[in-house]
Amino acid sequence: MEIKKNPKSNLENYSKIFMQIGLVLALFVTYAAIEKKTYDKVIGDLGTVNMNAEMEEEIPITERVEPVKPKTPPPPTPEKIEVVEDEKEVEETVIESTETDETEAVEVEEIVEVEEVEEVVEDVSFMIIEDVPVFPGCKGNKAQLKACFSKKVQKHFSRKFDADLPNELGLTAGRKRVFIGFKIDKNGNIVNVNARAPHPKIKSEVIKVMKLLPKMKPGRQRGKPVGVKYSIPFTLIVE
């Protein structure tokens, strides 16, 4: 069975009408687009920005202290100038010249030679002398000469001193100390003998005995003969 189309349902009969309607719509849209008015977008005013205001730094106001200036001393008082009349005589001070003329003779004072003063060396103790005095008959080094000197002085005192004198003076029994001191001068002589004893007569006897010491070879300090002080204690036994 063959199907037949209805002549009214054929769309090709209306194709011209559809094309005209499309053209009219296209023209209308184009016209409307052309006639539409547009306006520029306006942004509100934000105001003027001052950049210098932010860059400025606040500076604190300080008070300036003026330094105290020292007071200037007053100028010295000018010397009073005395005006002298022409008729008044004024004494003038004459300053003699110290320059000499080639033809003028100059007096030269005689030069007096000064004698060299000999160095004075004080007395030295027997304990610290460089070269000790030498008792006659003593030999050896410094230590041996010291020991020999003391031994000879003690032996001299024991031989010359009157041992019966303390008993005759009525002193109490026991040991009595006697201290003796003297000096061997630059020439080796015994001088300045002194003593400390329990009785004046014993003191006199001791001084007499020590003055009988023989002449010695003097001590020397820095190569020069000097006086040497010597002291020694003795013990007396009173029965």
Side-chain angles (χ1 to χ4, degrees):
M1 182 177 177
E2 184 179 357
I3 299 173
K4 294 183 180 181
K5 293 183 179 181
N6 191 357
K8 293 182 180 180
S9 60
N10 190 5
L11 297 176
E12 291 181 359
N13 297 328
Y14 304 101
S15 59
K16 293 181 180 180
I17 296 173
F18 289 153
M19 185 178 66
Q20 291 176 358
I21 293 171
L23 290 173
V24 171
L25 290 174
L27 290 173
F28 177 76
V29 171
T30 304
Y31 177 77
I34 293 172
E35 292 296 326
K36 186 179 179 182
K37 294 182 179 180
T38 57
Y39 301 92
D40 294 333
K41 190 176 181 180
V42 179
I43 300 174
D45 189 6
L46 298 178
T48 304
V49 179
N50 188 2
M51 298 299 292
N52 294 330
E54 296 181 1
M55 298 298 292
E56 290 181 358
E57 182 180 358
E58 293 185 1
I59 301 174
I61 301 174
T62 57
E63 183 181 357
R64 181 179 180 183
V65 180
E66 294 290 338
V68 180
K69 296 182 179 180
K71 295 182 179 180
T72 305
T77 306
E79 297 180 359
K80 185 178 180 181
I81 302 174
E82 183 180 358
V83 180
V84 182
E85 297 180 359
D86 294 341
E87 296 179 357
K88 187 176 180 179
E89 295 182 358
V90 180
E91 295 182 359
E92 295 182 357
T93 304
V94 180
I95 300 175
E96 297 181 358
S97 175
T98 56
E99 297 182 358
T100 56
D101 189 4
E102 295 180 356
T103 58
E104 182 181 356
V106 180
E107 295 182 0
V108 181
E109 296 182 359
E110 184 179 357
I111 300 174
V112 180
E113 295 183 359
V114 180
E115 297 182 357
E116 294 184 359
V117 179
E118 184 179 356
E119 182 182 0
V120 179
V121 181
E122 297 181 355
D123 297 337
V124 184
S125 173
F126 183 84
M127 302 303 296
I128 61 173
I129 187 71
E130 292 179 356
D131 298 326
V132 297
V134 180
F135 199 101
C138 291
K139 295 180 181 179
N141 56 27
K142 182 178 179 179
Q144 292 172 341
L145 290 175
K146 278 187 174 182
C148 181
F149 186 94
S150 298
K151 184 178 179 180
K152 292 283 187 179
V153 171
Q154 292 176 9
K155 186 176 181 180
H156 170 83
F157 181 81
S158 300
R159 291 175 56 188
K160 300 294 181 179
F161 182 76
D162 185 3
D164 296 331
L165 181 61
N167 296 324
E168 295 174 358
L169 296 174
L171 299 176
T172 57
R175 295 176 177 270
K176 307 296 180 183
R177 298 281 287 177
V178 177
F179 297 92
I180 304 172
F182 57 89
K183 183 177 80 170
I184 304 99
D185 65 8
K186 297 179 181 180
N187 299 319
N189 298 318
I190 305 301
V191 296
N192 299 340
V193 181
N194 57 77
R196 191 173 65 192
H199 195 278
K201 287 187 177 181
I202 295 178
K203 178 179 178 180
S204 299
E205 178 68 12
V206 169
I207 292 175
K208 182 183 72 172
V209 170
M210 302 313 292
K211 285 184 177 180
L212 296 175
L213 284 168
K215 187 174 182 178
M216 306 178 189
K217 181 180 178 181
R220 302 177 74 86
Q221 186 77 0
R222 295 196 291 270
K224 295 183 179 181
V226 294
V228 180
K229 294 180 179 180
Y230 182 83
S231 60
I232 185 172
F234 286 96
T235 302
L236 301 178
I237 300 176
V238 180
E239 297 177 355

